[in-house]
Amino acid sequence: MRISCPCCGLRDRREFTYLGHETFLYRPAADAGPEAWDDYLHNRDNPAGETRDLWYHDPCGTWVLVTRDTVTHAVTASRAVAEGQRA
Amino acid sequence: MAESGTTNPADGLGLPLDHGACRLSALSCGPAWLVAPFPGQEGACGAALAPLGLDFPAPGQVLAEKGARIVWAGRAQALLFDADPPGALTRHAAVTDQADGWARLMLQGADAQTVLARLVPLDLHAGAFPPGRAARTLLGHHPLLLIRDTENAFEIMTYRSMAGSAVHELQEAMRSVAARAALS
């Protein structure tokens, strides 16, 4: 499996560390109810098909939002998380 | 003024090492400054580096001018070698002296690319990784900044604390490649 790093281009999977679903980008407000925090911390889908998750490219220090397919293992898109925040 | 580290992290590791058509040697830790631009300040950093004849490097880029050199070293990071950073740079970037934080090795010879291919998960063919390019990647399990100086000469930079095991990994790969060549 290879993942495209927005800085470095296509790199081997062993250069990356997996965090989890992109849910981690959408932290609830501090006063949000317990249901919102439960969803944020614990509740995840387990899709057969397209999913978007967060990977860290260890060598260059980029957080990457990767769109991939859990059935075919195809990686269809990736972008730097920091770019999304700046836009 | 830059105060370089007083001892080389490769001291006592038995370098230089020769196996087959390959030599591993230690490079001195000259002045090395990490330049980490504040968000969106890469362009301003480039302008501040202009008096040295340099710019802020794009990913994988190595820029050299009159002995000074700046090498891309990660997302929004570059290492400035053998020059003092211009004062204006500190307004646009965090600048830290890292001369004593890195181990610098040189692997050269006809088999250098073959040896590295055993440890580095990159396409090292000159067409994909030509002389004058840099990459952040892995040497076995070590973080690595790899710079290709010429077709057969690679500068290997890893963190100072990992110099011993990096030399060990490279020595094993050099011996394996040399042994394989001796069989044929």
Side-chain angles (χ1 to χ4, degrees):
Chain A
M1 179 169 161
R2 281 190 277 178
I3 296 172
S4 181
C5 168
C7 277
C8 305
L10 208 56
R11 291 297 181 98
D12 192 276
R13 180 249 175 279
R14 83 191 93 158
E15 292 192 357
F16 294 83
T17 301
Y18 180 73
L19 177 70
H21 191 255
E22 64 167 334
T23 302
F24 284 124
L25 291 178
Y26 314 118
R27 187 184 174 91
D31 57 355
E35 294 80 12
W37 280 99
D38 188 31
D39 284 345
Y40 173 72
L41 287 172
H42 303 298
N43 296 330
R44 296 290 183 271
D45 291 332
N46 184 21
E50 187 178 282
T51 187
R52 278 152 55 102
D53 38 29
L54 297 166
W55 297 73
Y56 188 67
H57 189 220
D58 303 296
C60 86
T62 301
W63 277 107
V64 189
L65 179 60
V66 176
T67 308
R68 66 190 180 94
D69 193 301
T70 57
V71 176
T72 65
H73 300 298
V75 175
T76 48
S78 68
R79 69 167 173 82
V81 171
E83 279 168 22
Q85 287 170 341
R86 207 177 296 164
Chain B
M1 266 313 283
E3 279 297 326
S4 301
T6 49
T7 58
N8 192 305
D11 283 354
L13 297 178
L15 301 183
L17 278 168
D18 289 282
H19 288 291
C22 206
R23 162 171 278 215
L24 179 66
S25 48
L27 295 176
S28 74
C29 313
W33 300 84
L34 187 80
V35 181
F38 302 135
Q41 298 281 300
E42 281 89 345
C45 286
L49 287 160
L52 295 174
L54 301 173
D55 198 350
F56 192 81
Q61 205 175 22
V62 177
L63 302 169
E65 185 73 30
K66 297 194 199 83
R69 191 165 62 139
I70 192 162
V71 179
W72 183 81
R75 185 182 170 274
Q77 290 178 45
L79 274 169
L80 175 66
F81 293 104
D82 301 323
D84 282 330
L89 198 56
T90 55
R91 287 201 295 275
H92 307 292
V95 181
T96 48
D97 180 359
Q98 294 200 348
D100 58 358
W102 292 84
R104 289 175 75 194
L105 307 169
M106 167 65 73
L107 186 71
Q108 56 192 327
D111 282 342
Q113 181 184 313
T114 313
V115 168
L116 278 181
R118 293 192 166 218
L119 297 167
V120 177
L122 267 191
D123 183 353
L124 294 172
H125 290 98
F129 187 59
R133 295 292 289 178
R136 286 302 297 256
T137 178
L138 300 174
L139 180 82
H141 290 124
H142 305 87
L144 171 67
L145 173 60
L146 184 66
I147 306 165
R148 188 171 208 161
D149 290 342
T150 68
E151 175 100 22
N152 289 326
F154 295 84
E155 221 174 296
I156 292 166
M157 293 188 56
T158 189
Y159 302 134
R160 181 186 182 95
S161 62
M162 302 177 185
S165 51
V167 166
H168 174 78
E169 294 248 28
L170 284 161
Q171 182 177 10
E172 288 300 307
M174 289 166 73
R175 290 172 57 184
S176 302
V177 168
R180 171 66 60 94
L183 284 177
S184 56

